[in-house]
Amino acid sequence: MARKIQTPSLSKYTINLTANARNNPDDYKVIGRDKEIVQVIFNLSRKTKNNPILLGEAGVGKTAIVDGLARLIALNQVGEKLKNKQIRVLQIAALGQQDVVRKMLNIIKECKQTKGRTILFIDEIHTIMGADTSNGAMDLGDVLKPAMARGEIQLIGATTFDEYDKFIEKDPALERRFQQILVNEPSRDDAVKVLFGIRDNYEKFHHLVYTDEAVEACVDLSLRYIGDRQLPDKAIDLLDQAGSIAATKGQEIIDVKDIALVLQDMKGIPVTNILKNDSSRLKNLDKKLAKVVKGQAEAIKTVTDAVTIAKAGLQDPTKPISSFLFLGTTGVGKTALTLAMTEVMFDSTDNLIRIDMSEFSERESLDRFQDLLTMQVKRKPYCIILLDEIEKACTAVHDRLLQVLDAGILRDKRGRSTSFKNTIIIMTTNLGAELIVDNQIYEANTAEKFLNLTPNEIARKQDAFKKEVNMELTNIFRPEFVNRIEHKVIFNMLTRDIIKQIAYNNLATLSQRMAVHGFKLVYEDDLIDYLADIGTDVLNGARPLARCIEEEVSAPIAMYIMKLSDDPTNNIHTLKATVVGEKLGGQLQSHLKGSRKVRFTGIIDD
């Protein structure tokens, strides 16, 4: 009878994953990772370089792949090469702080004694680099490399892309010992399959039932509201947390509202916002945007139509939800419309990714731009991307964006794909501003003549103007880039009447801020007229108005409030703004105050 091999170090410092899977096979069942498990099996069955390393973001299921493999080995559902093998999990932290190298050498020795039957799994394998480096000792990477090269030990590693780049890749000798297996985040549909596959286990554990809608909501709501983590982990967390809360309350059925309540606790988002579907969000979208953005009815209609078509599922599913190029002079509302869209569609502006493209004017900045964009989209897969002053980026950046506009994905240097299919891409530019100004001034000066034109004549003039703008764009951008953008939206210059509407909006916002501090602002229409007189500038849009309100209204009010705050006996809470003096020459003249100024008086509350 053969003497049993003694492996005290393996017993002490590792966990026999295969034995655990044999005892509880249902707990180790993995859904949706068959391809990756097969890749690991093929890799382990090689003669050389048979040490797979699983690379993927935290939470995508790297450890689950190893669990699934252990289950297949336990159930004898693998080929002859892996039959009767055992996977043992080693956590580097289990080795402690002292004599780490000696302990690892003993583990390697015992793995060798098992004659290839032991496969060591090291999660977060990057932690082997630098372990036990006190007093100049070697790290575990130096211990493992020769053993792996001689075939004395077989490993499965797992780590993130960043940690791999930072620790493993810098040691070429160690990197050569591994075969990379990329583990990407599953798609929405694959994640739903995973959750339906594990639902029974969680129902048995919590002694309750999840509705189908609740399971799908775990995926859909985690995608929308938990952007800094990966599927399926974040969806499983919602499933488990909702089950835990419901079981504590004695609840028997979990529906969508219960999932939303978990998110409310996690993110502080009201349940009503979470449960609001896209149809209700987009209802009267044009009116919601028009409340915030003034004088841009045509731009709002273009945006509303495009988003509605996309959300109805009629757009190309391989591309972003929609893409826009906003053209116009400064201060006309390009950024304001973007912010308003984000607020309406996502309940806040947190889902806006805004990038100043002037920072990427050199070709050397391409990788930095790509890394920045993909990192932020991974964190916020449902978002609006605002690329400000797109013309200032280098051609290489424009070329890379072609991939996003055309296929809805962006691949990095390692071939990892980031999906942009749930994003709206908005680019702004001042290119063609002179053409737009000249065209709109011409239309304004010949309005009567335009009214006498037939619809076909007006359409021809508009087409000719758009072709001119398009030619202006192709002087800077490649034609294929311009053609990939679905909607070119030309913003109107702001007239005095529009400036008055914006002034009303801005004063309303100021009033809301004052109310937080217990103050109220009252004023007559003469204040609006005054602000419009000095704040109207067709070439600079609403920006001069914003400066005027700050100088003429906000700053004096701030001083008044601070003075009143210093007097504990004051009971004045209403400030009245009045315009005193006369217009210069009695005529309306933009940019000229005349003898007028704004005076503030405090009103004692009744």
Side-chain angles (χ1 to χ4, degrees):
M1 183 176 177
R3 184 171 62 87
K4 184 178 179 180
I5 300 172
Q6 298 298 311
T7 56
S9 293
L10 283 173
S11 299
K12 184 175 182 180
Y13 299 116
T14 69
I15 298 169
N16 192 328
L17 195 62
T18 309
N20 290 349
R22 187 176 293 112
N23 295 332
N24 300 286
D26 288 346
D27 290 346
Y28 290 81
K29 188 177 181 181
V30 178
I31 310 294
R33 288 299 186 187
D34 295 346
K35 176 185 171 185
E36 288 82 359
I37 291 173
V38 168
Q39 284 182 287
V40 174
I41 291 172
F42 287 162
N43 197 277
L44 289 171
S45 302
R46 289 178 50 155
K47 177 177 174 59
T48 59
K49 293 188 178 179
N50 52 10
N51 302 289
I53 184 167
L54 301 168
L55 297 181
E57 301 298 344
V60 297
K62 300 185 294 296
T63 304
I65 290 169
V66 182
D67 288 345
L69 175 60
R71 179 178 181 273
L72 292 179
I73 294 173
L75 298 177
N76 200 24
Q77 294 179 4
V78 291
E80 287 296 320
K81 292 277 188 183
L82 299 185
K83 188 176 180 181
N84 296 323
K85 291 203 174 188
Q86 59 180 5
I87 298 177
R88 286 187 166 270
V89 182
L90 169 64
Q91 296 286 351
I92 297 299
L95 299 178
Q97 300 293 322
Q98 302 296 322
D99 297 327
V100 177
V101 169
R102 179 183 59 78
K103 292 171 186 175
M104 181 58 81
L105 288 170
N106 287 338
I107 289 171
I108 292 171
K109 178 182 177 183
E110 291 175 11
C111 286
K112 184 178 178 181
Q113 289 173 351
T114 64
K115 301 186 184 303
R117 287 185 60 243
T118 300
I119 300 170
L120 210 58
F121 172 51
I122 303 179
D123 199 3
E124 299 187 30
I125 195 166
H126 61 275
T127 56
I128 66 174
M129 306 298 289
D132 201 25
T133 55
S134 57
N135 300 319
M138 65 173 61
D139 61 32
L140 296 187
D142 294 325
V143 176
L144 288 170
K145 279 183 289 190
M148 293 165 70
R150 293 192 295 266
E152 295 174 349
I153 189 172
Q154 196 167 17
L155 288 178
I156 301 173
T159 189
T160 64
F161 294 109
D162 289 342
E163 302 292 2
Y164 183 88
D165 293 346
K166 187 176 179 181
F167 294 102
I168 307 296
E169 198 172 48
K170 74 175 187 180
D171 187 335
L174 180 61
E175 184 188 27
R176 285 198 305 273
R177 309 298 176 211
F178 290 111
Q179 283 293 308
Q180 296 180 17
I181 295 176
L182 303 185
V183 185
N184 292 314
E185 183 180 26
S187 66
R188 182 263 178 197
D189 290 344
D190 286 341
V192 169
K193 290 176 185 176
V194 169
L195 262 68
F196 275 120
I198 65 174
R199 173 168 62 175
D200 285 350
N201 287 346
Y202 283 87
E203 288 181 336
K204 290 175 183 175
F205 183 83
H206 292 299
H207 305 291
L208 43 71
V209 173
Y210 295 92
T211 65
D212 289 353
E213 294 77 12
V215 174
E216 292 196 30
C218 288
V219 176
D220 293 333
L221 296 180
S222 68
L223 271 174
R224 184 180 290 276
Y225 293 106
I226 308 176
D228 55 349
R229 293 174 57 197
Q230 309 294 311
L231 288 174
D233 182 63
K234 61 186 179 183
I236 294 172
D237 269 1
L238 286 183
L239 189 82
D240 193 14
Q241 182 72 358
S244 174
I245 294 170
T248 303
K249 294 178 178 179
Q251 191 176 330
E252 295 182 354
I253 298 177
I254 290 183
D255 60 17
V256 176
K257 186 175 181 180
D258 297 303
I259 307 301
L261 283 168
V262 174
L263 267 172
Q264 177 175 277
D265 291 340
M266 290 173 60
K267 298 289 185 178
I269 304 167
V271 171
T272 50
N273 286 357
I274 295 172
L275 295 180
K276 195 189 302 178
N277 60 32
D278 284 336
S279 297
S280 60
R281 288 174 194 278
L282 298 180
K283 187 176 181 180
N284 298 322
L285 176 60
D286 53 346
K287 293 178 181 176
K288 293 173 183 175
L289 296 178
K291 285 182 180 179
V292 181
V293 182
K294 302 299 181 181
Q296 305 298 348
E298 188 176 342
I300 288 172
K301 185 179 186 307
T302 302
V303 166
T304 300
D305 289 348
V307 171
T308 304
I309 289 169
K311 286 296 185 179
L314 301 180
Q315 94 289 10
D316 187 339
T318 65
K319 295 182 178 180
I321 293 172
S322 200
S323 59
F324 302 91
L325 180 62
F326 286 177
L327 301 101
T329 55
T330 185
V332 293
K334 300 188 291 291
T335 301
L337 180 54
T338 305
L339 290 167
M341 285 175 63
T342 312
E343 185 76 42
V344 171
M345 296 183 67
F346 300 103
D347 305 315
S348 77
T349 56
D350 290 344
N351 284 62
L352 176 66
I353 296 172
R354 185 173 181 176
I355 299 177
D356 181 355
M357 300 305 288
S358 64
E359 297 178 14
F360 305 99
S361 58
E362 303 296 331
R363 185 177 183 86
E364 292 73 22
S365 63
L366 175 61
D367 286 343
R368 184 165 58 87
F369 167 73
Q370 181 172 278
D371 290 346
L372 175 65
L373 185 58
T374 54
M375 177 185 67
Q376 294 202 52
V377 171
K378 283 176 182 175
R379 291 175 179 169
K380 300 173 184 175
Y382 280 77
C383 64
I384 291 179
I385 300 169
L386 175 60
L387 305 177
D388 259 332
E389 298 186 291
I390 185 65
E391 76 278 5
K392 293 185 178 178
C394 67
T395 304
V397 169
H398 299 157
D399 290 345
R400 193 56 54 89
L401 283 170
L402 275 174
Q403 189 183 125
V404 176
L405 297 172
D406 200 38
I409 59 172
L410 186 59
R411 289 191 177 89
D412 63 14
K413 61 183 180 182
R414 198 184 293 282
R416 295 173 290 180
S417 296
T418 300
S419 173
F420 285 73
K421 294 173 186 175
N422 292 308
T423 68
I424 294 173
I425 298 174
I426 296 175
M427 294 165 273
T428 69
T429 182
N430 292 328
L431 288 177
E434 289 185 11
L435 284 173
I436 294 169
V437 170
D438 291 345
N439 181 70
Q440 292 184 8
I441 290 175
Y442 172 74
E443 287 185 359
N445 291 337
T446 59
E448 199 170 310
K449 180 182 175 182
F450 263 70
L451 290 174
N452 295 325
L453 295 177
T454 67
N456 286 340
E457 288 173 326
I458 292 174
R460 280 199 297 273
K461 284 185 175 294
Q462 289 175 339
D463 286 343
F465 166 62
K466 287 177 181 178
K467 284 180 181 176
E468 280 189 276
V469 173
N470 222 49
M471 288 180 63
E472 183 83 7
L473 293 177
T474 53
N475 287 335
I476 300 294
F477 305 118
R478 297 184 194 276
E480 54 267 36
F481 178 73
V482 175
N483 293 334
R484 291 296 194 290
I485 303 169
E486 293 176 292
H487 307 281
K488 287 92 173 173
V489 184
I490 295 174
F491 280 64
N492 299 321
M493 292 185 297
L494 303 182
T495 63
R496 184 176 182 277
D497 286 342
I498 300 301
I499 289 292
K500 287 177 68 174
Q501 295 178 38
I502 296 171
Y504 272 116
N505 274 11
N506 289 0
L507 290 179
T509 301
L510 177 61
S511 295
Q512 291 170 3
R513 292 172 184 163
M514 290 174 62
V516 173
H517 302 285
F519 287 89
K520 180 181 178 182
L521 174 66
V522 295
Y523 57 89
E524 302 293 339
D525 285 346
D526 60 351
L527 177 62
I528 299 295
D529 287 329
Y530 173 66
L531 293 173
D533 287 351
I534 63 174
T536 298
D537 181 349
V538 292
L539 295 181
N540 291 294
R543 292 219 165 90
L545 173 67
R547 287 193 294 272
C548 289
I549 291 177
E550 184 174 315
E551 293 171 5
E552 302 287 327
V553 183
S554 299
I557 285 177
M559 295 298 293
Y560 212 108
I561 289 175
M562 290 179 67
K563 185 192 299 182
L564 292 173
S565 299
D566 290 337
D567 180 4
T569 64
N570 87 78
N571 57 352
I572 296 175
H573 290 89
T574 300
L575 294 177
K576 183 176 182 180
T578 329
V579 179
V580 295
E582 295 184 2
K583 300 175 187 176
L584 187 67
Q587 302 295 319
L588 169 65
Q589 295 189 30
S590 296
H591 312 296
L592 297 175
K593 300 179 184 180
S595 61
R596 292 174 295 169
K597 64 179 180 178
V598 183
R599 183 178 66 190
F600 294 92
T601 53
I603 301 174
I604 299 177
D605 295 343
D606 295 333

